[in-house]
Amino acid sequence: MSLQFNGLMSPVVAAAAAVAAAAVVFLLYAREEGRLGPVRRAVLALLRTAVVAAALFLLLRPVLLAEERRERPRPVALLLDDSQSMTQRDQRLSAADRRRVAVAEGRVPPDAPFSPDAEPPEGTSENPSRAELVRAVLGHPKLALLDGLRRAGPLQVYLFGQRVRRLEDPARWAEELRFADARTALAEAVREVLSGAGDPPAAIVIATDGRDNASALGLDEVALECVRSGVPLHIWGVGSSEVGNLAVRDFACPETVFYDDEVAVPVRWRCRGFRQGTAEIELRLGDRVLARREVPLREGEEFREVVPFTPRKDAGLPEKGDLVVTVRARGVSETFTADNELRRPLSIVDRKVRILYVEEAPRWEYKFLQTALLRDRRAEARFVVAQGDRRALESGPPYLPGFPSTRAELFAFDVLILGDVPASFLGNERPAWIRDFVREGGSLIVIAGRRNAPWGWAKTELAEVLPVEFPGARPPFNPAERPTAYVPVLTRQGQRAEMLALADDPDESARLWRELPGFYGFAPGVRLRPGAAALLVHPRAKVGDAPVPVLAVHHYGKGQALFLGTDETWRWRARDEGRLFARFWGQTIYQMGLPHLLGAPKRVQLALERPENVLGRPAYVYARAFDPEFRPYSGERIRARLEFLDAPAGPDRERTLSLEAVPGQPGDYRALLPNDAVGRWALRVDEPAPAALEFRVNLPPQHELEVAGMEEETLRAAAEASGGAFYREEDLHRLAASLRPKSSPVVERRETLLWNAPMLVLFVALIGAEWILRKFSNLS
């Protein structure tokens, strides 16, 4: 204990003042004239001296300091994982994993020798959830884990998911655990407990499956912080580490393919929990296997494997069915297989797309497109060149000496490509034939030119067939305006169009479109016809307020008409050895020619906003609808049914959905898919025509409910690096004994103010005593 003064003067000065005051007081009382005895004079002098001394003592503001030193036990922090991943039920494949459940449930003594090959006793739960195991272990009377932890220090219980919260009453852990957090920040939880107020814990005990999808740091980094703080991690890994999962995320394949044509199917898949073995990717149509491919297994969220197949006529394949893509694990066991396959409708056609290409002269676009069409196995092309060499044109296929002389000859083709031909070459009757050809289901592709197409056709029947409107003459050329390169811009409809996909991945396709060599020429003065869809537009040129369409398409009758406002796609051949050029034209011919080839054009076409739908992220589904005359459907909305294919029969399996008309885009409708449940879904439309679209809703990467095993390697490495240990259920009986109690020095300081009320009372009492004694002594 010590005495401390906080006044305005030092104790030495105060003592000197007290001595001086005492001398003066005694001198004054010694010279007092009243009749007083020496004893009374001395008492009065002492009282007056005590009053002055008390006043000086109060002015010094004295404080009595008391300091106590002792040791305080450091707490033991118990962290319980309260996230959604703890609700998962691990499929326990091995006898050791099943016996661990028996240990947790008390059906096997906790300290009994563990036999990994022994089956659990009868009555042991089959595949309990991780949350059920936590409750069973913490409530195990023979294990008494919580009591054992208390012997190592005061117990502090924390629940963690995305955030950490401490329980005021550790005994209420069973009521507070809800396992509802949608994110887990395991490393951040350890770090927060480690750096919290007060003494660091003697040890941190964690019950978790190791899932961490919200921490900025890794658990290994936090383990090093624990080493520096002298706090070991003792981790109980909850769940099975033998969980492995393969899943098909998506695959791309056209709805219709041709016999003897090689079809490349890019398959996107993921792998979790497997680090050895192989995966088999299988393509199946009906009960016939089309292709198989084996790839080594390795952990990862995004793998892409292209699996080709060639449908043969002699293979006995069904002409229509579902193409099923399956990914299976070989050499290892997989616990969850519901997401191992995906299916899409597929038809096989026994005929090529017949194409008639009519051009005025062999310009660059014609030369390269002719080569691409002749190389395409799916196409059977014939060519007419108005100003071509007559000997070449009359030499036979692939050339024709002239435009078909009868309607029947023209109607035998699926696709007609018109280049920069003058109206005079077509004559008076053939524009009407072409109009009827498209109206009855054929497809027309027009490639704009520098002289005739499309302005020279303004007074013919072709003008009403095209998806664009144009003046009767080409706008005059301005010689002062120097042509500058431009890269056409994909519209929203263009982003969804299969014919414009330059890569299997949408993001990669968009990047390729931005990086393509630019065009210089385009069709000026051309505007979009009502009901038509612009897929590519000029980035700068406009007609009125609307951008000039570079690629536009619409339905005319039962057929389709496509307008390409440039003849410079041949410039793409400078990139990737012409593969993008060939892909673009191959897909365009394919998409335009199939309706006529199959004889059943679709009046309702459904498409998703993106190829993969993810839980909790709503996305649009689009519909392009036509009336029986194949004019854009004019209803305000389209009623649809959204069916959850993985749900049991009942009211929750199906719901209604309304696709609302898109303003300013006749025939286009859209609705927002909720994507509120994981699994297979189907969107079905009955009016104005039947249509269906199947899709899957997947969990986002690192989601709490995603099938994944307990992260044993990560947890074990972090525990050992921190100086602690990793435990399974058979090890928990020695967890509490492994903890070493620790204490921290505590210094408690208490301050007692001596310039307080009792001192003031003493001061007043001294003054009062002197005053009373002076009165009794007849002094003033």
Side-chain angles (χ1 to χ4, degrees), residues 27-349:
L27 178 62
L28 292 176
Y29 268 106
R31 299 176 62 183
E32 183 67 47
E33 295 180 355
R35 298 178 60 186
L36 297 174
V39 174
R40 182 169 292 188
R41 288 178 184 272
V43 171
L44 287 171
L46 288 173
L47 287 175
R48 177 66 60 86
T49 301
V51 169
V52 174
L56 290 171
F57 188 71
L58 289 175
L59 291 175
L60 286 174
R61 301 173 68 183
V63 178
L64 185 64
L65 299 178
E67 198 173 82
E68 180 183 358
R69 299 178 181 272
R70 57 186 174 84
E71 294 290 320
R72 179 172 60 192
R74 286 161 60 176
V76 173
L78 174 61
L79 276 69
L80 303 178
D81 193 334
D82 197 31
S83 63
Q84 292 178 356
S85 66
M86 299 294 287
T87 63
Q88 290 200 44
R89 297 180 179 272
D90 298 307
Q91 297 186 20
R92 299 187 175 250
L93 302 177
S94 65
D97 257 0
R98 292 191 290 271
R99 193 163 183 83
R100 289 185 177 107
V101 176
V103 174
E105 293 181 344
R107 301 183 186 279
V108 174
D111 55 353
F114 186 74
S115 303
D117 298 327
E119 289 292 338
E122 187 176 350
T124 302
S125 299
E126 182 178 357
N127 301 330
S129 69
R130 300 165 186 174
E132 291 169 345
L133 287 182
V134 170
R135 293 186 182 278
V137 166
L138 296 185
H140 196 312
K142 294 183 180 179
L143 187 60
L145 182 60
L146 297 182
D147 293 337
L149 298 181
R150 288 189 182 95
R151 288 193 290 271
L155 183 61
Q156 297 176 347
V157 178
Y158 298 84
L159 306 184
F160 71 91
Q162 190 163 358
R163 294 179 177 82
V164 182
R165 59 189 180 98
R166 179 179 171 182
L167 300 185
E168 297 296 331
D169 183 3
R172 291 177 55 84
W173 63 266
E175 303 170 30
E176 297 290 340
L177 275 173
R178 297 182 179 86
F179 305 104
D181 272 16
R183 303 273 286 170
T184 307
L186 170 58
E188 294 294 342
V190 175
R191 194 180 188 194
E192 184 172 337
V193 172
L194 185 66
S195 59
D199 298 330
I204 297 178
V205 180
I206 311 172
T208 180
D209 57 9
R211 172 62 63 86
D212 193 338
N213 51 22
S215 293
L217 297 178
L219 190 60
D220 55 342
E221 297 174 274
V222 177
L224 297 179
E225 293 186 20
C226 292
V227 173
R228 290 191 288 269
S229 301
V231 180
L233 296 176
H234 294 265
I235 304 176
W236 167 32
V238 186
S240 173
S241 59
E242 299 175 357
V243 176
N245 177 246
L246 301 179
V248 181
R249 297 177 70 92
D250 190 31
F251 73 91
C253 184
E255 290 188 15
T256 306
V257 299
F258 297 82
Y259 280 113
D260 300 324
D261 188 26
E262 184 175 275
V263 182
V265 180
V267 180
R268 294 173 54 236
W269 59 288
R270 69 172 178 230
C271 172
R272 288 203 191 91
F274 293 133
R275 296 174 178 83
Q276 59 183 359
T278 59
E280 181 186 77
I281 303 176
E282 180 184 87
L283 274 58
R284 191 175 69 253
L285 183 63
D287 58 351
R288 300 301 180 96
V289 176
L290 299 176
R292 284 196 182 101
R293 174 165 293 185
E294 285 199 0
V295 295
L297 283 177
R298 61 189 188 278
E299 189 110 15
E301 288 294 320
E302 183 74 31
F303 294 109
R304 182 177 179 274
E305 193 72 26
V306 178
V307 183
F309 73 93
T310 303
R312 303 293 184 186
K313 291 189 66 174
D314 56 1
L317 299 175
E319 292 186 356
K320 290 186 178 182
D322 282 343
L323 177 64
V324 182
V325 174
T326 307
V327 178
R328 300 188 187 92
R330 295 296 185 197
V332 290
S333 299
E334 188 175 2
T335 60
F336 183 78
T337 59
D339 54 0
N340 281 32
E341 74 173 35
L342 205 58
R343 60 182 62 218
R344 302 271 167 77
L346 179 69
S347 300
I348 305 178
V349 178

Side-chain angles (χ1 to χ4, degrees), residues 227-554:
V227 173
R228 290 191 288 269
S229 301
V231 180
L233 296 176
H234 294 265
I235 304 176
W236 167 32
V238 186
S240 173
S241 59
E242 299 175 357
V243 176
N245 177 246
L246 301 179
V248 181
R249 297 177 70 92
D250 190 31
F251 73 91
C253 184
E255 290 188 15
T256 306
V257 299
F258 297 82
Y259 280 113
D260 300 324
D261 188 26
E262 184 175 275
V263 182
V265 180
V267 180
R268 294 173 54 236
W269 59 288
R270 69 172 178 230
C271 172
R272 288 203 191 91
F274 293 133
R275 296 174 178 83
Q276 59 183 359
T278 59
E280 181 186 77
I281 303 176
E282 180 184 87
L283 274 58
R284 191 175 69 253
L285 183 63
D287 58 351
R288 300 301 180 96
V289 176
L290 299 176
R292 284 196 182 101
R293 174 165 293 185
E294 285 199 0
V295 295
L297 283 177
R298 61 189 188 278
E299 189 110 15
E301 288 294 320
E302 183 74 31
F303 294 109
R304 182 177 179 274
E305 193 72 26
V306 178
V307 183
F309 73 93
T310 303
R312 303 293 184 186
K313 291 189 66 174
D314 56 1
L317 299 175
E319 292 186 356
K320 290 186 178 182
D322 282 343
L323 177 64
V324 182
V325 174
T326 307
V327 178
R328 300 188 187 92
R330 295 296 185 197
V332 290
S333 299
E334 188 175 2
T335 60
F336 183 78
T337 59
D339 54 0
N340 281 32
E341 74 173 35
L342 205 58
R343 60 182 62 218
R344 302 271 167 77
L346 179 69
S347 300
I348 305 178
V349 178
D350 191 18
R351 183 170 74 79
K352 297 182 178 182
V353 178
R354 300 196 63 194
I355 305 164
L356 175 61
Y357 188 176
V358 181
E359 186 61 86
E360 181 189 23
R363 52 181 172 166
W364 287 107
E365 192 79 346
Y366 167 82
K367 292 178 181 179
F368 290 116
L369 182 52
Q370 180 189 48
T371 303
L373 294 177
L374 292 176
R375 288 177 177 175
D376 195 331
R377 295 181 180 180
R378 299 170 297 182
E380 180 183 321
R382 296 293 180 263
F383 303 91
V384 176
V385 183
Q387 298 181 15
D389 187 338
R390 300 310 305 173
R391 289 175 298 178
L393 297 177
E394 294 174 357
S395 63
Y399 296 103
L400 294 178
F403 196 90
S405 57
T406 65
R407 287 167 56 96
E409 290 179 5
L410 174 61
F411 280 44
F413 291 97
D414 300 308
V415 179
L416 171 61
I417 303 177
L418 279 182
D420 196 22
V421 294
S424 59
F425 175 77
L426 297 175
N428 296 327
E429 294 183 349
R430 288 165 183 162
W433 295 359
I434 295 173
R435 178 196 61 195
D436 296 341
F437 167 76
V438 178
R439 182 180 290 169
E440 294 302 318
S443 292
L444 172 66
I445 297 176
V446 171
I447 304 175
R450 308 298 173 94
R451 300 175 58 190
N452 303 300
W455 304 276
W457 308 337
K459 297 180 181 180
T460 69
E461 288 84 349
L462 282 177
E464 64 180 84
V465 180
L466 297 184
V468 292
E469 297 175 344
F470 48 89
R474 180 184 177 93
F477 174 70
N478 183 4
E481 184 177 336
R482 184 174 181 177
T484 56
Y486 70 93
V487 176
V489 177
L490 282 168
T491 64
R492 286 187 173 274
Q493 291 161 309
Q495 293 169 6
R496 302 194 303 269
E498 292 183 19
M499 70 174 73
L500 299 188
L502 298 183
D504 299 321
D505 180 69
D507 294 334
E508 176 67 9
S509 178
R511 183 187 67 81
L512 289 174
W513 273 106
R514 292 192 298 268
E515 296 177 357
L516 283 173
F519 301 147
Y520 289 87
F522 65 96
V526 171
R527 69 172 71 235
L528 198 66
R529 187 182 295 276
L535 307 184
L536 291 171
V537 295
H538 197 290
R540 299 181 298 273
K542 293 187 177 183
V543 175
D545 295 330
V548 171
V550 177
L551 182 67
V553 65
H554 79 156

Side-chain angles (χ1 to χ4, degrees), residues 696-760:
R696 174 184 285 277
V697 176
N698 296 316
L699 289 168
Q702 297 297 319
H703 191 275
E704 284 292 313
L705 299 179
E706 203 168 42
V707 177
M710 181 259 293
E711 301 285 348
E712 180 171 350
E713 290 186 10
T714 301
L715 298 178
R716 185 182 296 276
E720 294 175 355
S722 70
F726 176 79
Y727 303 84
R728 300 301 300 271
E729 285 77 6
E730 65 269 22
D731 308 317
L732 291 176
H733 66 279
R734 56 183 176 81
L735 192 159
S738 301
L739 305 184
R740 297 290 177 261
K742 297 180 181 180
S743 59
S744 299
V746 179
V747 178
E748 290 188 5
R749 303 180 66 187
R750 293 190 296 273
E751 295 183 355
T752 303
L753 300 177
L754 298 182
W755 43 288
N756 49 23
M759 285 297 298
L760 182 62

